[in-house]
Amino acid sequence: MPNLSRNLVHLRWLLKLIDFRVAGKLSWGSAMLAILYREMCGATKPNKAKIGGCLSLLQSWAWFRFLFLHPQVNHPYTFPLIMR
């Protein structure tokens, strides 16, 4: 049965996480980009209403590449709770 809600992980991927030394050698960044590219291609369909994947990665890339997209900050970042 297909997982239409996409909230489940197939057992074959969970088995890769048994040994963390092996899991650290996998190319997780490439996998994340592949999923993001697939979702962006699927979002071009007229009947598609949502997009999945790591959208924070897409947002940070867009802010870095297209300077007119990133928010303009007139003051330096401050952390009042830490500065106490």
Side-chain angles (χ1 to χ4, degrees), residues 2-65:
N3 178 18
L4 298 177
S5 65
R6 294 186 170 190
N7 64 352
L8 302 176
V9 177
H10 195 276
L11 182 60
R12 70 176 164 187
W13 303 117
L14 290 177
L15 291 176
K16 300 263 186 206
L17 298 176
I18 290 175
D19 187 7
F20 284 114
R21 289 174 292 187
V22 175
K25 295 178 181 176
L26 296 175
S27 179
W28 294 104
S30 299
M32 184 58 63
L33 284 176
I35 291 170
L36 185 58
Y37 289 152
R38 184 182 65 199
E39 289 293 326
M40 287 172 42
C41 288
T44 60
K45 297 178 182 175
N47 60 350
K48 180 90 173 194
K50 296 181 181 178
I51 184 172
C54 186
L55 297 180
S56 60
L57 176 66
L58 177 63
Q59 183 181 21
S60 64
W61 174 82
W63 284 1
F64 181 75
R65 291 292 289 176

Side-chain angles (χ1 to χ4, degrees), residues 52-81:
C54 186
L55 297 180
S56 60
L57 176 66
L58 177 63
Q59 183 181 21
S60 64
W61 174 82
W63 284 1
F64 181 75
R65 291 292 289 176
F66 305 109
L67 296 178
F68 63 90
L69 291 177
H70 78 280
Q72 299 295 323
V73 179
N74 295 332
H75 55 82
Y77 292 109
T78 58
F79 303 98
L81 294 176

